Amino acid sequence: MPTYSAPTKDMQFLLHEVLNATGSGIGGYDELDRDFTSAILEEAGKLAENVLAPLNVVGDEEGCTLENGTVHTPTGFKGAYDQMREGGWIGLDCDPAFGGQGMPYLMNSAVGEMFVSANMAFNMYQGLSHGAYNAIHTHGTDAQKQTYLPKLVEGSWSGTMNLTEPHCGTDLGLIRTKAEPADDGSYRITGQKIWISAGEHDLTDNIIHLVLARIPGGPEGVKGISLFIVPKFLVNEDGSLGARNDLSCGGLEKKMGIHGNATCVMNYDGATGYLIGEMHKGMRAMFTMMNEARLGVGLQGYAQGVVAYQNALGFALDRLQGRAVTGAEAPDKPADPIIVHPDVRRNLLHQKSFIEGARAFTFWGASLIDRAHRNDDAEAEAMISLLTPVLKGFLTDKGFETTVLAQQTLGGSGFTREWGLEQFVRDARITMIYEGTNGIQSLDLVGRKLGLNGGKTVMAFFEMVKSFIKENEGNADLKSGFLDPLKASSKDLQAAAMYFMQNMKNPNDALSGSYDFMHLFGHVCLGLMWARMAKAAMEGLETGDGDAEFYRTKIATGRYYMARQLPATALHLSRIQSGGEVVMDLDAAHF
Amino acid sequence: MPTYSAPTKDMQFLLHEVLNATGSGIGGYDELDRDFTSAILEEAGKLAENVLAPLNVVGDEEGCTLENGTVHTPTGFKGAYDQMREGGWIGLDCDPAFGGQGMPYLMNSAVGEMFVSANMAFNMYQGLSHGAYNAIHTHGTDAQKQTYLPKLVEGSWSGTMNLTEPHCGTDLGLIRTKAEPADDGSYRITGQKIWISAGEHDLTDNIIHLVLARIPGGPEGVKGISLFIVPKFLVNEDGSLGARNDLSCGGLEKKMGIHGNATCVMNYDGATGYLIGEMHKGMRAMFTMMNEARLGVGLQGYAQGVVAYQNALGFALDRLQGRAVTGAEAPDKPADPIIVHPDVRRNLLHQKSFIEGARAFTFWGASLIDRAHRNDDAEAEAMISLLTPVLKGFLTDKGFETTVLAQQTLGGSGFTREWGLEQFVRDARITMIYEGTNGIQSLDLVGRKLGLNGGKTVMAFFEMVKSFIKENEGNADLKSGFLDPLKASSKDLQAAAMYFMQNMKNPNDALSGSYDFMHLFGHVCLGLMWARMAKAAMEGLETGDGDAEFYRTKIATGRYYMARQLPATALHLSRIQSGGEVVMDLDAAHF
């Protein structure tokens, strides 16, 4: 059975030596001193290691079952959920006005990574609640907030997002679910939603569905969609639970992975719903949920890579096969551990250098969210908006790839269920799909985000990379291994952006290169993260405080990324510059 | 449920217009005229489409079950196997002296692709028999051949390969299974073997296990391993079945995919075995089975890509979401089919250009085998020996990637079991692992094959590419889209080979780049294939015979490969040239 070990040391390094959290001037960050964050991370780590991780295989093997309209979660999930709830983890970054801990989103991300690595399917139950919390907190009336938020924050109720219908997922303009006004100001919701994660389960007393539907007579397409709060149990004036609403789980989806999470068909049969936000402006409200959800999915992607890597490494240190080409390294044993073989090391370093870079990127993204929200910083808001599709698309593609590489480290054992690696592959796979497929992320990036603020935001990104390089050019150690490759990759990114601008007349040219652009952008971001981490590690070595081996390992891992992964930017650029003709040329009938 | 459509037209194009089979001078190929091959392909295609494909999901969902030592295959497998057997498909390329059809290996590959695309887990039962047939045919005594081959060829018996033990897979020198000589010249085999595909099942009357074991007193390591024939039922003098041998299936492996195939733990408890080939020379005999098996696994990899692509394409033509950026293409419908979107097309073309290139590469490889065996051509033998790790490693990595891309085309539907794409991903995954992990393939390529005949074989490959370019440089259509990129990629390959030669002193430098070299080599091979196919298609267009749309599509697909996939060679070269230091630097304890 696979194991999980919380990477608290690496997280502390990022928080305090790379991001310099306490000195960053972000509202509330001054409280995040080393001891405080260490206490939180250690506590969350224990929960992840000892409670959630052992349930991961159970969740996969048992899955969820639907009986008489009730969904039963796998053995142990309810107990674990109660522990999460009692520990206050569910409302960690929620508004104290509604019972939350008021912690920065940054800390929520760090803790979230551990929970997701330990048990992704389990963590989705509370993850969805968080999305519902956000939507109501941002768009709800005071009465709606008072009714729903305290329960969502304490975790006695959970939430869902209802977007997809059988005939439409990406194209929400095609939604058919109806919301007919009733006399009391509420609406009657009728329609079918599919792929509703945590749509029905036995972990909480109530489930608050956020449902996209169409009020008859409104505009066609996405402009006529409104968002509704549709609770499983109606809520009485005094906050107690009232009648069962007219909605039900019509079935559970059989799927490749995340078996521990209930993916429901939800039927709304004239269910009572309450408009949230403005009429016909449901998409805007839904995007409040989706943007943060996308960051969360990016995190899921690399977090599966983290636990997969840990188990691959354990195997590589333990499994004896063959001898090092330069002479036996464990002559007292019948063979050397496979980590002596260059190709096994290459595979492991590919995994390790990605996940550590991805963690830095995610934490940086989380700090941008905090800066945007807590300091009302429009530039940070724009930057994270630009980076969101990159965080989602790049980190999930590469996170999945990492689980596949980790599985490969185990050879035949990786294919067996016994070792658990294949579950990480199957679970990670969904992250490339949900919350907008990665193809959609790339369209968002090139079609919308690149032109944000007339291109000023992407220019600010380039500037940031440039000034970092300039500021540190005097550091010879950093220059050849980190700054030079970063400069080259950043030039590739700029050349790609330039290509899109020069070919605006034919949008197919840009859109044919969008996926490569997303990866190109992701690599530059991780290159920047590695340069920053290497700088911090070099400083750590210089001051002589801390763990010198940790710093040296960090630098060596970063050098691998810069030498072996970052050069992919040139390939992506050349694909982009090959233009749209080879992509658009073939008639659909001749594929 | 997914569907499968046999690609007979594309196969005919390869056989007759690219490989020019009948005129190639390979023994027996003169019989392969268009009508003859068409008849075979159509017949096999029907079996694949109508009998094997519908059982693919059944096999996945039911899996195999072990009851009182007997393994039951999924519903329908026995009936389908009997149809395969009665149709003479199992002995298609086997020696007519033992009841085979004597067809070239090339035809076996074409037919095999269809069977594997339709149902990979099912086809493995006869695939393993083929390996056992080869070993006995090459290394067995006349008596052994007479006893076993006719039954294996007609399919009433099947075969297996028993290599792996719990503590060793890649490093066969660690094998512990014992073979003690008995008075009658046979041996008593004792030990446990794991991951034995088709080790026990209910499809045939007998199962002929080929087992690697160690005769006490022999040399240590791989030099003391011998190969044994160990039948499930002993065979009487008259060929009838005798006593049950002392071997049994001790369990079925639970695994990620290929559920329809029984992956067995095999226990040998003093079972009667017969030495095949020379004592202590078992590895050599086993490699006879493994080399061809590796080609077969490469084929499995891309064949899963073929069926995945077909279903992705079907979805993309059917599913309506959004509008083409250049204006609605199906204004009468609520949305356009998603194939109008550039990123969906990019994804599909990535799949299509790989699988068609992979098919050409595999067919070419099969023709090299035929040339080697039927014409006793040592150069062809050396060339296929060089290319074997590339065929196995590159085609399975990319084949798996293709199934993942196809799954992505379906968005959320791709993650559900209902649409069947996720099964192709799970089934294809094993191909990167078994018959030597792809890491091992890359070591074989760089450590052994590159220096074959003092490097003459790889030089012959370079020469072949060079002369093809030179011969066709006058063809302007071919030059810019195909020959120029091929030349560039071939230069990258030569530069990588040169790098290895110049850094022989430190083997870790070469071995740190072996995986990238395997991919670099694979791309150049597919680039060469696409240049050849484009040339043939241009000739087809010129003569005006045949289907002009087919030829134009072929050229357009090839142009995509050359523009968007082949440039990966530069990335692989840059990784190789970055050397071994970044890979070897980190101490194992600090990973």
Side-chain angles (χ1 to χ4, degrees):
Chain A
M1 204 164 84
T3 57
Y4 173 65
S5 169
T8 50
K9 190 169 188 173
D10 203 49
M11 290 182 173
Q12 286 282 80
F13 168 72
L14 287 176
L15 294 177
H16 302 291
E17 293 170 67
V18 181
L19 292 173
N20 186 18
T22 44
S24 66
I26 300 174
Y29 272 38
D30 50 343
E31 288 175 15
L32 301 181
D33 64 44
R34 268 186 183 273
D35 289 347
F36 181 74
T37 59
S38 169
I40 293 175
L41 296 178
E42 291 299 330
E43 207 55 43
K46 272 187 236 164
L47 189 60
E49 291 172 355
N50 304 327
V51 179
L52 306 191
L55 292 175
N56 196 43
V57 171
V58 179
D60 186 58
E61 301 217 324
E62 285 187 21
C64 295
T65 48
L66 175 64
E67 237 179 324
N68 302 325
T70 303
V71 170
H72 302 283
T73 54
T75 308
F77 270 40
K78 174 76 174 128
Y81 184 82
D82 289 344
Q83 274 187 262
M84 291 281 282
R85 203 163 54 71
E86 285 153 18
W89 296 109
I90 292 174
L92 193 68
D93 69 337
C94 294
D95 189 342
F98 302 101
Q101 312 263 348
M103 212 79 86
Y105 184 70
L106 174 61
M107 290 309 294
N108 204 49
S109 298
V111 166
E113 185 203 299
M114 299 193 226
F115 293 165
V116 170
S117 288
N119 197 326
M120 176 169 149
F122 174 86
N123 200 59
M124 287 173 65
Y125 290 102
Q126 61 146 328
L128 271 298
S129 296
H130 208 269
Y133 161 86
N134 270 343
I136 298 174
H137 193 260
T138 311
H139 301 282
T141 62
D142 282 344
Q144 287 172 335
K145 290 184 196 181
Q146 288 303 337
T147 305
Y148 300 106
L149 293 186
K151 298 289 194 181
L152 286 171
V153 168
E154 73 176 25
S156 55
W157 297 357
S158 64
T160 72
M161 293 164 66
N162 287 238
L163 289 78
T164 307
E165 300 182 3
H167 62 289
C168 72
T170 298
D171 189 352
L172 293 170
L174 304 175
I175 274 179
R176 290 182 195 145
T177 296
K178 260 187 326 190
E180 288 165 307
D183 296 340
D184 63 355
S186 71
Y187 291 79
R188 295 292 163 270
I189 313 291
T190 308
Q192 188 177 64
K193 296 285 180 177
I194 62 167
W195 303 343
I196 308 308
S197 298
E200 172 61 31
H201 58 79
D202 53 9
L203 302 180
T204 57
D205 302 331
N206 201 4
I207 301 175
I208 310 306
H209 301 286
L210 289 179
V211 181
L212 285 185
R214 199 179 280 291
I215 300 172
E220 290 198 358
V222 289
K223 288 177 181 159
I225 292 174
S226 307
L227 183 64
F228 298 87
I229 298 174
V230 191
K232 174 177 168 185
F233 289 102
L234 297 175
V235 183
N236 298 323
E237 288 276 317
D238 65 355
S240 63
L241 295 185
R244 183 73 150 85
N245 206 347
D246 293 322
L247 61 92
S248 59
C249 170
L252 292 177
E253 206 72 55
K254 283 189 192 168
K255 52 201 195 295
M256 184 182 195
I258 53 167
H259 295 161
N261 199 274
T263 306
C264 302
V265 176
M266 295 303 298
N267 295 321
Y268 294 90
D269 304 307
T272 299
Y274 310 99
L275 182 69
I276 170 167
E278 287 177 62
M279 193 182 285
H280 308 322
K281 298 278 170 68
M283 287 302 287
R284 198 194 296 169
M286 192 49 103
F287 269 106
T288 311
M289 294 161 78
M290 279 173 61
N291 270 334
E292 206 181 282
R294 286 176 175 182
L295 294 177
V297 173
L299 182 148
Q300 286 181 327
Y302 86 80
Q304 289 301 292
V306 169
V307 65
Y309 168 72
Q310 289 183 356
N311 286 278
L313 175 60
F315 187 91
L317 290 167
D318 196 49
R319 176 79 171 174
L320 309 177
Q321 296 285 280
R323 290 291 182 192
V325 66
T326 46
E329 298 206 359
D332 53 321
K333 292 185 178 160
D336 287 337
I338 62 171
I339 200 167
V340 304
H341 304 303
D343 189 63
V344 172
R345 300 174 69 92
R346 171 201 62 78
N347 186 353
L348 289 169
L349 279 164
H350 222 77
Q351 299 167 46
K352 181 176 169 66
S353 65
F354 165 71
I355 55 182
E356 292 180 12
R359 179 179 293 133
F361 186 22
T362 301
F363 281 22
W364 174 46
S367 76
L368 285 172
I369 287 190
D370 285 327
R371 190 180 289 278
H373 294 177
R374 289 167 173 252
N375 295 16
D376 251 334
D377 184 325
E379 280 174 28
E381 177 80 46
M383 185 60 72
I384 189 59
S385 186
L386 170 67
L387 296 178
T388 293
V390 183
L391 280 156
K392 197 280 183 182
F394 183 70
L395 297 191
T396 58
D397 276 358
K398 290 283 171 184
F400 171 73
E401 182 189 290
T402 301
T403 62
V404 173
L405 291 175
Q407 183 185 26
Q408 192 71 13
T409 310
L410 276 78
S413 300
F415 197 67
T416 65
R417 304 205 64 176
E418 182 186 352
W419 287 82
L421 271 290
E422 63 94 36
Q423 184 189 343
F424 300 134
V425 174
R426 287 186 290 104
D427 286 356
R429 184 65 184 88
I430 188 61
T431 64
M432 296 155 70
I433 297 173
Y434 62 15
E435 295 306 320
T437 63
N438 287 357
I440 291 294
Q441 302 300 326
S442 77
L443 295 192
D444 179 45
L445 176 63
V446 170
R448 266 194 292 250
K449 302 300 176 61
L450 207 48
L452 203 65
N453 298 323
K456 275 188 199 149
T457 307
V458 73
M459 291 305 294
F461 178 86
F462 292 140
E463 263 319 303
M464 183 178 46
V465 175
K466 208 167 139 187
S467 2
F468 180 84
I469 293 171
K470 209 169 168 188
E471 277 162 29
N472 295 286
E473 248 167 353
N475 182 337
D477 285 347
L478 207 58
K479 190 168 182 307
S480 67
F482 292 89
L483 301 182
D484 290 347
L486 177 60
K487 191 186 266 180
S489 70
S490 177
K491 272 192 185 159
D492 288 341
L493 186 64
Q494 290 183 59
M498 187 64 74
Y499 175 84
F500 291 153
M501 287 199 250
Q502 287 167 345
N503 290 278
M504 296 265 256
K505 275 181 299 187
N506 183 4
N508 285 328
D509 275 330
L511 297 182
S512 296
S514 63
Y515 211 91
D516 281 288
F517 188 74
M518 180 173 77
H519 274 254
L520 206 175
F521 210 143
H523 275 298
V524 175
C525 289
L526 259 62
L528 175 64
M529 292 301 110
W530 271 116
R532 284 186 180 167
M533 287 193 281
K535 184 188 172 190
M538 286 172 188
E539 285 167 1
L541 276 177
E542 207 158 303
T543 62
D545 302 337
D547 180 346
E549 267 328 325
F550 175 87
Y551 293 132
R552 275 195 282 268
T553 298
K554 189 60 75 181
I555 295 165
T557 309
R559 281 164 54 88
Y560 180 92
Y561 192 89
M562 304 311 273
R564 293 254 175 168
Q565 301 226 56
L566 197 57
T569 57
L571 171 60
H572 292 300
L573 176 61
S574 82
R575 282 181 182 157
I576 291 166
Q577 289 178 334
S578 77
E581 200 197 319
V582 291
V583 173
M584 303 309 295
D585 198 23
L586 199 58
D587 193 84
H590 301 133
F591 263 73
Chain B
M1 203 164 85
T3 57
Y4 173 65
S5 167
T8 49
K9 189 169 188 173
D10 204 47
M11 290 182 172
Q12 286 282 80
F13 168 70
L14 287 176
L15 294 177
H16 302 291
E17 293 170 66
V18 181
L19 292 174
N20 186 20
T22 43
S24 66
I26 299 174
Y29 272 39
D30 50 342
E31 286 175 16
L32 302 181
D33 64 44
R34 268 185 185 273
D35 289 346
F36 181 73
T37 60
S38 170
I40 293 175
L41 296 177
E42 292 299 331
E43 207 54 43
K46 273 187 235 164
L47 188 60
E49 291 171 355
N50 304 328
V51 179
L52 306 190
L55 292 175
N56 196 43
V57 171
V58 178
D60 186 58
E61 302 216 324
E62 286 188 20
C64 295
T65 48
L66 174 65
E67 238 178 322
N68 302 327
T70 304
V71 170
H72 302 282
T73 54
T75 309
F77 271 39
K78 174 76 175 129
Y81 183 82
D82 289 343
Q83 274 187 263
M84 290 282 281
R85 204 163 53 72
E86 285 154 18
W89 296 108
I90 292 175
L92 193 68
D93 69 337
C94 293
D95 189 342
F98 303 101
Q101 312 264 349
M103 212 79 86
Y105 185 70
L106 175 61
M107 290 311 293
N108 204 48
S109 299
V111 166
E113 185 203 300
M114 298 192 226
F115 292 165
V116 171
S117 288
N119 196 326
M120 176 168 149
F122 173 86
N123 199 59
M124 286 173 65
Y125 290 102
Q126 59 145 330
L128 270 299
S129 296
H130 207 270
Y133 162 86
N134 270 343
I136 297 174
H137 193 261
T138 312
H139 301 282
T141 61
D142 282 345
Q144 287 172 335
K145 290 184 196 180
Q146 289 304 336
T147 305
Y148 301 105
L149 294 186
K151 298 288 192 179
L152 285 171
V153 168
E154 75 177 23
S156 55
W157 297 358
S158 64
T160 72
M161 292 164 65
N162 286 240
L163 288 77
T164 306
E165 300 182 4
H167 62 290
C168 73
T170 298
D171 188 352
L172 293 171
L174 303 175
I175 275 180
R176 290 184 196 143
T177 296
K178 261 188 324 192
E180 287 165 308
D183 296 339
D184 63 354
S186 71
Y187 291 79
R188 295 291 162 271
I189 313 290
T190 308
Q192 188 176 65
K193 296 285 180 177
I194 62 169
W195 303 344
I196 308 308
S197 298
E200 172 60 32
H201 57 79
D202 55 8
L203 302 181
T204 56
D205 302 331
N206 202 3
I207 302 176
I208 310 306
H209 301 287
L210 289 179
V211 182
L212 284 185
R214 200 177 280 290
I215 299 172
E220 290 199 358
V222 290
K223 288 177 182 159
I225 293 174
S226 307
L227 184 64
F228 297 88
I229 299 174
V230 191
K232 174 178 168 184
F233 289 101
L234 297 175
V235 183
N236 298 323
E237 288 276 318
D238 65 354
S240 64
L241 294 186
R244 183 73 151 84
N245 207 346
D246 293 321
L247 60 92
S248 60
C249 171
L252 292 178
E253 207 72 55
K254 284 189 191 169
K255 53 201 195 292
M256 185 183 195
I258 51 165
H259 295 161
N261 199 274
T263 307
C264 302
V265 176
M266 294 303 298
N267 294 322
Y268 294 89
D269 304 307
T272 298
Y274 310 99
L275 182 70
I276 170 168
E278 287 177 62
M279 192 182 286
H280 308 321
K281 299 279 169 68
M283 287 303 286
R284 198 195 295 168
M286 192 50 103
F287 268 107
T288 311
M289 293 162 78
M290 279 174 62
N291 270 335
E292 205 180 282
R294 286 177 174 180
L295 295 177
V297 173
L299 182 148
Q300 286 181 327
Y302 86 80
Q304 289 301 290
V306 169
V307 64
Y309 168 71
Q310 290 183 356
N311 285 278
L313 175 60
F315 187 91
L317 290 167
D318 196 50
R319 176 79 171 172
L320 308 176
Q321 296 285 281
R323 289 292 183 192
V325 66
T326 45
E329 298 205 359
D332 52 322
K333 293 185 178 158
D336 287 337
I338 62 171
I339 200 167
V340 304
H341 304 303
D343 189 62
V344 172
R345 299 173 70 92
R346 170 199 63 77
N347 185 352
L348 289 170
L349 279 164
H350 223 75
Q351 299 167 46
K352 182 177 169 66
S353 64
F354 165 71
I355 54 181
E356 293 180 11
R359 178 179 294 132
F361 186 22
T362 300
F363 282 22
W364 174 47
S367 76
L368 285 172
I369 287 189
D370 285 327
R371 189 180 289 279
H373 294 177
R374 291 168 173 253
N375 294 16
D376 249 334
D377 184 325
E379 280 175 29
E381 177 78 47
M383 185 61 73
I384 189 61
S385 185
L386 169 68
L387 296 177
T388 293
V390 182
L391 279 156
K392 197 282 184 180
F394 182 70
L395 297 192
T396 58
D397 276 359
K398 290 283 171 185
F400 172 73
E401 182 189 290
T402 301
T403 62
V404 173
L405 291 174
Q407 183 184 28
Q408 192 70 14
T409 309
L410 276 77
S413 300
F415 197 66
T416 65
R417 304 205 64 177
E418 182 186 350
W419 287 81
L421 272 290
E422 62 94 37
Q423 184 190 343
F424 300 135
V425 174
R426 288 186 291 103
D427 287 355
R429 183 65 184 88
I430 189 60
T431 63
M432 296 155 69
I433 297 172
Y434 63 16
E435 295 305 322
T437 64
N438 287 357
I440 291 294
Q441 302 301 324
S442 76
L443 295 193
D444 179 44
L445 176 63
V446 170
R448 268 195 291 253
K449 302 300 176 62
L450 207 49
L452 203 65
N453 298 324
K456 275 189 200 148
T457 307
V458 72
M459 291 306 294
F461 178 86
F462 292 140
E463 262 319 303
M464 182 177 47
V465 174
K466 209 167 139 188
S467 2
F468 180 84
I469 294 171
K470 208 168 168 190
E471 278 163 28
N472 295 286
E473 248 168 353
N475 181 337
D477 286 348
L478 207 58
K479 190 169 183 305
S480 67
F482 292 89
L483 301 181
D484 290 347
L486 176 61
K487 191 187 266 182
S489 71
S490 176
K491 272 191 185 161
D492 288 341
L493 186 64
Q494 290 182 59
M498 187 64 76
Y499 175 84
F500 290 153
M501 287 198 249
Q502 286 166 345
N503 291 276
M504 296 264 256
K505 274 180 299 184
N506 183 3
N508 285 327
D509 275 329
L511 297 181
S512 295
S514 63
Y515 211 90
D516 281 289
F517 188 75
M518 180 174 77
H519 273 254
L520 206 176
F521 210 143
H523 275 299
V524 174
C525 289
L526 260 62
L528 175 63
M529 292 301 110
W530 271 116
R532 284 186 181 168
M533 287 192 282
K535 184 188 172 190
M538 287 171 186
E539 285 168 359
L541 277 177
E542 208 158 299
T543 61
D545 301 337
D547 179 346
E549 267 328 325
F550 175 87
Y551 294 132
R552 274 194 283 268
T553 297
K554 190 58 78 181
I555 294 165
T557 308
R559 280 165 54 87
Y560 180 92
Y561 192 89
M562 304 310 273
R564 293 254 175 169
Q565 302 225 55
L566 196 57
T569 56
L571 171 60
H572 292 301
L573 175 61
S574 82
R575 282 182 181 156
I576 291 166
Q577 290 178 333
S578 77
E581 199 197 320
V582 292
V583 173
M584 302 310 294
D585 198 23
L586 200 56
D587 192 86
H590 301 133
F591 263 73

